[in-house]
Amino acid sequence: MNTTKTDVAIIGAGPSGLMLGHLLTQAGINCIIVERKSPDYVLSRIRAGVLEQCTLQVMEKLGLDSRLKAEGLPHDGVILADGERVIEIDVKGLTGSQVVVYGQTEITKDLMDASDSRGVMRVYDADDVALHNFETEAPCVTYTKNGEPHRIDCRFIAGCDGFHGPSRKAMPGSNTNYVEKVYPFGWLGVLADVPPATHEVAYSNHDRGFALSSMRSLTRSRYYIQVGLDEKVEDWSDERFWDELAVRLGPEISSKLVTGPSIEKSIAPLRSFIFGSMRHGSLFLAGDSAHIVPPTGAKGLNLASSDITYLSAAIISYFKEKQSDGINLYSEKALNRVWKSSRFSWYLTTLMHRFPEGGEFDRKMQVAELEYIAGSKAAQTTIAENYIGLPL
Ligand code: RFL
Ligand code: PHB
Protein backbone atom coordinates (compact mmCIF):
# COMPACT_ATOMS: atom_id res chain seq x y z
CA MET A 1 0.00 0.00 0.00
CA ASN A 2 1.34 3.45 -1.02
CA THR A 3 0.48 5.87 1.80
CA THR A 4 0.41 9.69 1.61
CA LYS A 5 -0.53 12.25 4.26
CA THR A 6 -2.36 15.50 3.64
CA ASP A 7 -4.76 17.91 5.37
CA VAL A 8 -7.79 17.47 3.11
CA ALA A 9 -8.56 14.63 0.70
CA ILE A 10 -10.97 15.87 -1.97
CA ILE A 11 -12.98 13.30 -3.92
CA GLY A 12 -13.93 14.45 -7.44
CA ALA A 13 -12.29 16.91 -9.85
CA GLY A 14 -15.42 18.58 -11.19
CA PRO A 15 -15.93 22.28 -10.53
CA SER A 16 -16.55 21.77 -6.77
CA GLY A 17 -13.42 19.71 -6.17
CA LEU A 18 -11.18 21.91 -8.32
CA MET A 19 -12.43 25.16 -6.77
CA LEU A 20 -11.90 23.77 -3.28
CA GLY A 21 -8.46 22.40 -4.17
CA HIS A 22 -7.38 25.79 -5.50
CA LEU A 23 -8.79 27.81 -2.59
CA LEU A 24 -7.15 25.56 0.02
CA THR A 25 -3.81 25.49 -1.84
CA GLN A 26 -3.92 29.30 -2.12
CA ALA A 27 -4.30 29.45 1.68
CA GLY A 28 -1.36 27.09 2.21
CA ILE A 29 -3.44 24.05 3.21
CA ASN A 30 -2.36 20.73 1.77
CA CYS A 31 -4.85 18.74 -0.23
CA ILE A 32 -5.08 16.01 -2.85
CA ILE A 33 -7.91 15.63 -5.36
CA VAL A 34 -8.79 12.07 -6.38
CA GLU A 35 -10.84 11.71 -9.59
CA ARG A 36 -12.27 8.54 -11.14
CA LYS A 37 -12.16 9.75 -14.75
CA SER A 38 -9.44 11.10 -17.06
CA PRO A 39 -8.87 14.86 -17.55
CA ASP A 40 -10.21 14.63 -21.12
CA TYR A 41 -13.37 12.91 -19.99
CA VAL A 42 -14.01 15.55 -17.30
CA LEU A 43 -13.58 18.29 -19.91
CA SER A 44 -15.89 16.65 -22.42
CA ARG A 45 -19.00 16.93 -20.21
CA ILE A 46 -21.24 19.69 -21.57
CA ARG A 47 -23.16 21.23 -18.72
CA ALA A 48 -23.85 24.58 -17.16
CA GLY A 49 -23.47 27.92 -18.86
CA VAL A 50 -24.89 30.69 -16.68
CA LEU A 51 -22.70 32.00 -13.86
CA GLU A 52 -23.87 33.97 -10.84
CA GLN A 53 -21.72 36.45 -8.92
CA CYS A 54 -20.73 33.79 -6.35
CA THR A 55 -19.05 31.71 -9.09
CA LEU A 56 -17.39 34.79 -10.59
CA GLN A 57 -16.11 35.74 -7.12
CA VAL A 58 -14.41 32.38 -6.60
CA MET A 59 -12.58 32.72 -9.92
CA GLU A 60 -11.64 36.32 -9.13
CA LYS A 61 -10.33 35.39 -5.67
CA LEU A 62 -8.14 32.77 -7.31
CA GLY A 63 -6.90 35.28 -9.89
CA LEU A 64 -8.13 32.87 -12.59
CA ASP A 65 -10.73 35.10 -14.19
CA SER A 66 -8.77 36.72 -17.02
CA ARG A 67 -10.27 34.49 -19.76
CA LEU A 68 -13.67 34.63 -18.07
CA LYS A 69 -13.51 38.45 -18.14
CA ALA A 70 -12.37 38.49 -21.77
CA GLU A 71 -14.68 35.82 -23.20
CA GLY A 72 -17.63 35.64 -20.75
CA LEU A 73 -20.77 37.37 -21.99
CA PRO A 74 -22.51 39.52 -19.36
CA HIS A 75 -26.28 39.20 -19.53
CA ASP A 76 -28.45 42.07 -18.34
CA GLY A 77 -31.78 40.33 -18.71
CA VAL A 78 -33.72 37.09 -19.03
CA ILE A 79 -36.73 36.27 -21.20
CA LEU A 80 -39.88 34.33 -20.35
CA ALA A 81 -42.18 33.41 -23.23
CA ASP A 82 -45.34 31.37 -23.77
CA GLY A 83 -45.13 30.62 -27.44
CA GLU A 84 -46.74 33.96 -28.36
CA ARG A 85 -45.84 36.58 -25.80
CA VAL A 86 -42.20 37.47 -25.02
CA ILE A 87 -41.55 39.01 -21.58
CA GLU A 88 -38.15 40.66 -21.26
CA ILE A 89 -37.07 41.01 -17.64
CA ASP A 90 -34.49 43.77 -17.11
CA VAL A 91 -32.40 41.96 -14.51
CA LYS A 92 -29.68 44.63 -14.36
CA GLY A 93 -32.17 47.48 -14.07
CA LEU A 94 -34.14 45.71 -11.33
CA THR A 95 -31.22 44.40 -9.26
CA GLY A 96 -28.11 46.32 -10.36
CA SER A 97 -26.42 42.97 -11.07
CA GLN A 98 -25.86 40.55 -13.92
CA VAL A 99 -25.06 36.94 -14.73
CA VAL A 100 -22.30 35.91 -17.12
CA VAL A 101 -22.54 33.25 -19.79
CA TYR A 102 -19.34 31.16 -19.79
CA GLY A 103 -19.43 27.37 -20.07
CA GLN A 104 -18.80 25.13 -17.08
CA THR A 105 -16.32 23.35 -19.31
CA GLU A 106 -14.34 26.60 -19.61
CA ILE A 107 -14.33 27.13 -15.82
CA THR A 108 -13.14 23.55 -15.38
CA LYS A 109 -10.44 24.07 -18.03
CA ASP A 110 -9.21 27.29 -16.40
CA LEU A 111 -8.96 25.53 -13.04
CA MET A 112 -7.26 22.47 -14.56
CA ASP A 113 -4.77 24.51 -16.59
CA ALA A 114 -3.63 26.41 -13.49
CA SER A 115 -3.39 23.34 -11.23
CA ASP A 116 0.18 22.28 -11.91
CA SER A 117 1.72 25.73 -11.67
CA ARG A 118 -0.12 26.36 -8.39
CA GLY A 119 0.71 22.97 -6.90
CA VAL A 120 -2.88 21.68 -6.75
CA MET A 121 -2.27 17.93 -6.46
CA ARG A 122 -4.62 15.74 -8.50
CA VAL A 123 -4.85 12.02 -9.18
CA TYR A 124 -6.95 11.06 -12.25
CA ASP A 125 -8.13 7.60 -13.30
CA ALA A 126 -8.44 6.47 -9.68
CA ASP A 127 -10.52 3.30 -9.26
CA ASP A 128 -12.40 1.92 -6.23
CA VAL A 129 -12.27 5.20 -4.29
CA ALA A 130 -13.50 4.54 -0.72
CA LEU A 131 -13.84 6.62 2.46
CA HIS A 132 -12.92 5.32 5.92
CA ASN A 133 -13.05 6.39 9.60
CA PHE A 134 -14.67 9.73 8.98
CA GLU A 135 -16.44 9.52 12.36
CA THR A 136 -12.94 10.10 13.79
CA GLU A 137 -10.41 12.92 13.41
CA ALA A 138 -8.12 10.66 11.40
CA PRO A 139 -10.06 9.57 8.32
CA CYS A 140 -8.54 8.19 5.14
CA VAL A 141 -9.36 7.64 1.48
CA THR A 142 -8.26 4.54 -0.41
CA TYR A 143 -8.14 3.93 -4.15
CA THR A 144 -6.34 1.88 -6.74
CA LYS A 145 -4.48 3.22 -9.73
CA ASN A 146 -3.00 1.00 -12.43
CA GLY A 147 -3.86 -1.93 -10.17
CA GLU A 148 -1.78 -0.54 -7.25
CA PRO A 149 -3.47 0.22 -3.90
CA HIS A 150 -3.09 3.73 -2.39
CA ARG A 151 -4.14 5.37 0.88
CA ILE A 152 -4.39 9.05 1.78
CA ASP A 153 -4.43 9.83 5.52
CA CYS A 154 -5.98 13.22 6.25
CA ARG A 155 -7.84 15.41 8.76
CA PHE A 156 -10.89 16.04 6.54
CA ILE A 157 -12.52 14.48 3.49
CA ALA A 158 -14.46 16.69 1.06
CA GLY A 159 -16.99 14.71 -0.99
CA CYS A 160 -17.14 16.68 -4.26
CA ASP A 161 -17.94 13.59 -6.32
CA GLY A 162 -21.28 14.55 -7.84
CA PHE A 163 -24.64 12.83 -7.54
CA HIS A 164 -23.38 9.29 -8.23
CA GLY A 165 -20.12 9.37 -6.24
CA PRO A 166 -19.31 7.34 -3.11
CA SER A 167 -19.26 10.17 -0.50
CA ARG A 168 -22.97 10.65 0.12
CA LYS A 169 -23.48 6.89 -0.11
CA ALA A 170 -21.03 6.47 2.78
CA MET A 171 -23.00 8.84 5.03
CA PRO A 172 -25.36 7.39 7.66
CA GLY A 173 -28.96 7.50 6.43
CA SER A 174 -27.84 7.71 2.79
CA ASN A 175 -30.95 5.79 1.70
CA THR A 176 -33.44 7.66 3.86
CA ASN A 177 -32.14 11.10 4.89
CA TYR A 178 -33.13 13.05 1.78
CA VAL A 179 -36.00 14.86 0.12
CA GLU A 180 -36.57 14.35 -3.58
CA LYS A 181 -38.87 15.36 -6.42
CA VAL A 182 -38.52 13.57 -9.75
CA TYR A 183 -40.11 15.42 -12.67
CA PRO A 184 -41.99 13.40 -15.30
CA PHE A 185 -39.85 14.69 -18.18
CA GLY A 186 -36.29 15.45 -19.26
CA TRP A 187 -34.44 18.02 -21.37
CA LEU A 188 -33.10 17.17 -24.80
CA GLY A 189 -30.13 19.51 -25.30
CA VAL A 190 -28.36 20.44 -28.53
CA LEU A 191 -25.12 22.35 -28.95
CA ALA A 192 -24.48 23.87 -32.39
CA ASP A 193 -22.05 26.30 -33.97
CA VAL A 194 -24.68 28.81 -35.04
CA PRO A 195 -25.32 32.35 -33.76
CA PRO A 196 -27.87 32.34 -30.92
CA ALA A 197 -31.48 33.36 -31.60
CA THR A 198 -31.58 35.52 -28.47
CA HIS A 199 -28.81 37.30 -26.63
CA GLU A 200 -30.59 36.76 -23.30
CA VAL A 201 -31.48 33.28 -22.08
CA ALA A 202 -35.12 32.61 -23.08
CA TYR A 203 -37.38 30.15 -21.26
CA SER A 204 -40.54 29.36 -23.26
CA ASN A 205 -43.64 27.46 -22.16
CA HIS A 206 -45.53 26.51 -25.31
CA ASP A 207 -48.65 24.32 -25.48
CA ARG A 208 -46.37 21.59 -26.85
CA GLY A 209 -43.91 21.89 -23.97
CA PHE A 210 -40.91 23.81 -22.70
CA ALA A 211 -38.02 25.15 -24.80
CA LEU A 212 -34.89 27.08 -23.86
CA SER A 213 -32.63 29.28 -25.94
CA SER A 214 -29.13 29.85 -24.54
CA MET A 215 -25.60 30.30 -25.81
CA ARG A 216 -21.97 29.57 -25.13
CA SER A 217 -20.59 32.36 -27.32
CA LEU A 218 -21.72 34.66 -30.13
CA THR A 219 -21.19 31.78 -32.55
CA ARG A 220 -22.20 28.78 -30.41
CA SER A 221 -25.79 28.15 -29.27
CA ARG A 222 -27.25 25.84 -26.65
CA TYR A 223 -30.91 24.87 -26.98
CA TYR A 224 -33.12 22.51 -25.01
CA ILE A 225 -36.64 21.13 -25.36
CA GLN A 226 -38.72 19.24 -22.82
CA VAL A 227 -39.18 15.56 -23.80
CA GLY A 228 -40.89 12.55 -22.24
CA LEU A 229 -38.79 10.22 -20.09
CA ASP A 230 -39.19 7.44 -22.65
CA GLU A 231 -37.72 9.51 -25.51
CA LYS A 232 -34.44 8.42 -27.11
CA VAL A 233 -31.79 10.74 -28.56
CA GLU A 234 -31.59 8.56 -31.69
CA ASP A 235 -35.20 9.41 -32.50
CA TRP A 236 -34.38 13.11 -32.67
CA SER A 237 -32.72 13.98 -35.95
CA ASP A 238 -31.32 17.51 -36.12
CA GLU A 239 -34.18 18.47 -38.43
CA ARG A 240 -36.85 17.20 -36.07
CA PHE A 241 -35.22 19.02 -33.16
CA TRP A 242 -34.97 22.38 -34.99
CA ASP A 243 -38.59 22.14 -36.19
CA GLU A 244 -39.92 21.44 -32.72
CA LEU A 245 -37.72 24.10 -31.13
CA ALA A 246 -38.89 26.75 -33.60
CA VAL A 247 -42.54 26.05 -32.82
CA ARG A 248 -42.03 26.10 -29.07
CA LEU A 249 -39.94 29.28 -28.98
CA GLY A 250 -42.74 31.09 -30.79
CA PRO A 251 -42.70 33.22 -33.95
CA GLU A 252 -40.84 36.25 -32.57
CA ILE A 253 -37.81 34.35 -31.23
CA SER A 254 -37.71 31.68 -33.92
CA SER A 255 -37.65 34.32 -36.66
CA LYS A 256 -34.01 34.80 -35.54
CA LEU A 257 -33.25 31.09 -35.19
CA VAL A 258 -30.29 29.88 -37.25
CA THR A 259 -30.02 26.12 -37.59
CA GLY A 260 -27.03 23.91 -38.35
CA PRO A 261 -25.55 20.49 -37.56
CA SER A 262 -25.56 19.57 -33.87
CA ILE A 263 -22.18 18.97 -32.24
CA GLU A 264 -23.68 17.43 -29.10
CA LYS A 265 -27.10 16.03 -28.34
CA SER A 266 -28.19 14.42 -25.08
CA ILE A 267 -31.15 13.92 -22.75
CA ALA A 268 -30.96 14.78 -19.04
CA PRO A 269 -33.73 13.90 -16.57
CA LEU A 270 -34.98 16.61 -14.20
CA ARG A 271 -35.03 16.19 -10.45
CA SER A 272 -34.63 17.99 -7.15
CA PHE A 273 -32.73 16.13 -4.45
CA ILE A 274 -31.51 17.50 -1.14
CA PHE A 275 -29.60 15.38 1.32
CA GLY A 276 -30.42 16.05 4.97
CA SER A 277 -26.90 16.87 6.13
CA MET A 278 -23.75 18.10 4.43
CA ARG A 279 -21.41 16.96 7.21
CA HIS A 280 -20.79 13.85 9.21
CA GLY A 281 -17.74 13.98 11.50
CA SER A 282 -14.73 14.67 9.30
CA LEU A 283 -16.62 14.27 6.01
CA PHE A 284 -18.19 17.21 4.18
CA LEU A 285 -20.37 17.08 1.08
CA ALA A 286 -20.38 19.90 -1.49
CA GLY A 287 -22.06 20.49 -4.84
CA ASP A 288 -24.03 17.79 -6.66
CA SER A 289 -22.99 15.12 -4.14
CA ALA A 290 -25.33 16.79 -1.63
CA HIS A 291 -28.04 18.26 -3.85
CA ILE A 292 -29.42 18.35 -7.37
CA VAL A 293 -31.66 21.02 -8.82
CA PRO A 294 -33.51 20.82 -12.13
CA PRO A 295 -31.57 22.95 -14.65
CA THR A 296 -34.39 25.53 -15.00
CA GLY A 297 -32.89 28.68 -13.46
CA ALA A 298 -29.29 27.50 -13.88
CA LYS A 299 -28.52 27.00 -10.20
CA GLY A 300 -26.52 23.74 -10.01
CA LEU A 301 -22.98 24.95 -10.62
CA ASN A 302 -23.67 28.16 -8.74
CA LEU A 303 -24.78 26.22 -5.67
CA ALA A 304 -21.56 24.23 -5.92
CA SER A 305 -19.68 27.56 -5.83
CA SER A 306 -21.56 28.82 -2.78
CA ASP A 307 -20.97 25.52 -0.94
CA ILE A 308 -17.27 25.77 -1.73
CA THR A 309 -17.13 29.40 -0.61
CA TYR A 310 -18.54 28.39 2.80
CA LEU A 311 -16.53 25.16 3.07
CA SER A 312 -13.15 26.62 2.08
CA ALA A 313 -13.58 29.48 4.61
CA ALA A 314 -14.53 26.96 7.31
CA ILE A 315 -11.56 24.67 6.66
CA ILE A 316 -9.12 27.59 6.38
CA SER A 317 -10.36 29.02 9.68
CA TYR A 318 -9.98 25.57 11.30
CA PHE A 319 -6.34 25.19 10.24
CA LYS A 320 -5.20 28.82 10.42
CA GLU A 321 -7.12 30.16 13.42
CA LYS A 322 -7.90 26.90 15.22
CA GLN A 323 -11.60 27.85 15.01
CA SER A 324 -14.28 25.16 14.63
CA ASP A 325 -17.35 27.42 14.30
CA GLY A 326 -17.14 27.42 10.51
CA ILE A 327 -17.03 23.65 10.15
CA ASN A 328 -19.75 23.24 12.76
CA LEU A 329 -22.09 25.65 10.98
CA TYR A 330 -21.21 24.63 7.40
CA SER A 331 -24.07 22.20 6.80
CA GLU A 332 -26.75 24.51 8.18
CA LYS A 333 -25.44 27.55 6.30
CA ALA A 334 -25.01 25.77 2.98
CA LEU A 335 -28.38 24.01 3.19
CA ASN A 336 -30.13 27.29 3.91
CA ARG A 337 -29.03 28.65 0.53
CA VAL A 338 -29.61 25.29 -1.19
CA TRP A 339 -33.28 25.28 -0.13
CA LYS A 340 -33.84 28.80 -1.41
CA SER A 341 -32.24 28.05 -4.77
CA SER A 342 -34.16 24.78 -4.98
CA ARG A 343 -37.37 26.73 -4.40
CA PHE A 344 -36.62 29.02 -7.34
CA SER A 345 -35.66 26.10 -9.61
CA TRP A 346 -38.89 24.33 -8.65
CA TYR A 347 -40.94 27.49 -9.20
CA LEU A 348 -39.51 28.12 -12.64
CA THR A 349 -39.76 24.43 -13.60
CA THR A 350 -43.41 24.34 -12.53
CA LEU A 351 -44.23 27.59 -14.31
CA MET A 352 -42.50 26.78 -17.59
CA HIS A 353 -43.15 23.05 -18.30
CA ARG A 354 -46.16 21.06 -19.44
CA PHE A 355 -46.90 18.35 -16.90
CA PRO A 356 -48.41 15.16 -18.40
CA GLU A 357 -51.07 15.04 -15.67
CA GLY A 358 -51.78 18.78 -15.84
CA GLY A 359 -55.15 19.64 -17.37
CA GLU A 360 -56.54 22.84 -18.78
CA PHE A 361 -56.74 24.45 -15.35
CA ASP A 362 -52.98 24.07 -14.77
CA ARG A 363 -52.25 25.52 -18.20
CA LYS A 364 -54.55 28.49 -17.58
CA MET A 365 -52.80 29.13 -14.26
CA GLN A 366 -49.41 29.18 -16.00
CA VAL A 367 -50.67 31.61 -18.62
CA ALA A 368 -52.27 33.81 -15.94
CA GLU A 369 -49.05 33.85 -13.96
CA LEU A 370 -47.01 34.83 -17.03
CA GLU A 371 -49.61 37.55 -17.70
CA TYR A 372 -49.18 38.78 -14.13
CA ILE A 373 -45.38 38.76 -14.41
CA ALA A 374 -45.57 40.70 -17.68
CA GLY A 375 -47.42 43.53 -15.92
CA SER A 376 -45.82 43.55 -12.48
CA LYS A 377 -42.50 45.13 -11.58
CA ALA A 378 -42.69 43.40 -8.17
CA ALA A 379 -43.03 39.96 -9.82
CA GLN A 380 -40.21 40.71 -12.25
CA THR A 381 -37.99 41.88 -9.37
CA THR A 382 -38.63 38.62 -7.50
CA ILE A 383 -37.57 36.62 -10.53
CA ALA A 384 -34.58 38.86 -11.24
CA GLU A 385 -33.15 38.73 -7.69
CA ASN A 386 -33.42 34.94 -7.64
CA TYR A 387 -31.98 34.63 -11.13
CA ILE A 388 -28.79 36.58 -10.30
CA GLY A 389 -28.39 34.47 -7.14
CA LEU A 390 -29.35 35.19 -3.55
CA PRO A 391 -26.67 36.71 -1.31
CA LEU A 392 -24.16 34.40 0.35
P1 RFL B 1 -19.73 17.11 -10.98
O1 RFL B 1 -19.53 18.13 -12.03
O2 RFL B 1 -20.66 16.00 -11.23
O3 RFL B 1 -18.29 16.54 -10.62
C1 RFL B 1 -18.14 15.41 -9.76
C2 RFL B 1 -16.83 14.76 -10.09
O4 RFL B 1 -16.66 13.63 -9.23
C3 RFL B 1 -16.17 12.54 -10.01
N1 RFL B 1 -16.51 11.26 -9.37
C4 RFL B 1 -15.60 10.51 -8.71
N2 RFL B 1 -14.33 10.72 -8.42
C5 RFL B 1 -13.68 9.75 -7.72
N3 RFL B 1 -14.26 8.57 -7.35
C6 RFL B 1 -15.55 8.32 -7.64
N4 RFL B 1 -16.11 7.14 -7.32
C7 RFL B 1 -16.28 9.32 -8.34
N5 RFL B 1 -17.56 9.41 -8.78
C8 RFL B 1 -17.68 10.59 -9.40
C9 RFL B 1 -16.86 12.72 -11.35
O5 RFL B 1 -16.19 12.01 -12.40
C10 RFL B 1 -16.80 14.23 -11.52
O6 RFL B 1 -15.62 14.65 -12.16
O7 RFL B 1 -20.21 17.80 -9.60
P2 RFL B 1 -19.80 19.20 -8.99
O8 RFL B 1 -18.33 19.43 -9.07
O9 RFL B 1 -20.47 19.28 -7.68
O10 RFL B 1 -20.44 20.30 -9.99
C11 RFL B 1 -21.83 20.40 -10.12
C12 RFL B 1 -22.20 20.86 -11.53
O11 RFL B 1 -21.54 20.03 -12.46
C13 RFL B 1 -23.71 20.83 -11.78
O12 RFL B 1 -24.42 21.31 -10.65
C14 RFL B 1 -24.13 21.67 -13.01
O13 RFL B 1 -23.57 21.18 -14.19
C15 RFL B 1 -25.65 21.71 -13.14
N6 RFL B 1 -26.09 22.44 -14.35
C16 RFL B 1 -26.11 23.82 -14.37
N7 RFL B 1 -25.69 24.53 -13.31
C17 RFL B 1 -25.64 25.91 -13.36
O14 RFL B 1 -25.24 26.54 -12.36
N8 RFL B 1 -26.00 26.61 -14.51
C18 RFL B 1 -26.44 25.96 -15.62
O15 RFL B 1 -26.69 26.61 -16.63
C19 RFL B 1 -26.55 24.52 -15.58
N9 RFL B 1 -26.97 23.82 -16.65
C20 RFL B 1 -26.48 21.71 -15.47
C21 RFL B 1 -26.93 22.45 -16.63
C22 RFL B 1 -26.42 20.32 -15.49
C23 RFL B 1 -26.82 19.64 -16.62
N10 RFL B 1 -26.69 18.19 -16.57
C24 RFL B 1 -26.45 17.36 -17.65
C25 RFL B 1 -26.56 17.51 -15.30
C26 RFL B 1 -27.34 21.79 -17.75
C27 RFL B 1 -27.31 20.37 -17.75
C28 RFL B 1 -27.81 19.71 -19.01
C1 PHB C 1 -27.31 26.47 -20.61
O1 PHB C 1 -26.86 27.44 -21.24
O2 PHB C 1 -26.86 25.32 -20.73
C2 PHB C 1 -28.42 26.69 -19.64
C3 PHB C 1 -28.97 27.96 -19.49
C4 PHB C 1 -30.00 28.16 -18.58
C5 PHB C 1 -30.47 27.09 -17.85
C6 PHB C 1 -29.93 25.84 -17.99
C7 PHB C 1 -28.90 25.62 -18.90
O3 PHB C 1 -31.49 27.29 -16.96
Side-chain angles (χ1 to χ4, degrees), residues 47-50 187 201 203 212 214-216 222 224 295-298 387:
R47 287 183 170 179
V50 179
W187 279 15
V201 173
Y203 297 87
L212 171 65
S214 183
M215 59 156 80
R216 289 291 175 273
R222 181 75 167 150
Y224 300 90
T296 339
Y387 188 65

Side-chain angles (χ1 to χ4, degrees), residues 35-46 112 125:
E35 164 64 48
R36 183 170 63 118
K37 299 287 189 182
S38 69
D40 285 349
Y41 183 94
V42 170
L43 271 181
S44 69
R45 290 190 293 231
I46 309 288
M112 285 170 73
D125 301 303

Side-chain angles (χ1 to χ4, degrees), residues 11-17 34-37 42 45 47-50 104 129 160-162 165-166 222 224 268 286-288 295 298-302 304:
I11 308 182
S16 301
V34 185
E35 164 64 48
R36 183 170 63 118
K37 299 287 189 182
V42 170
R45 290 190 293 231
R47 287 183 170 179
V50 179
Q104 173 171 334
V129 174
C160 300
D161 43 356
R222 181 75 167 150
Y224 300 90
D288 278 14
K299 295 295 170 206
L301 169 62
N302 295 304

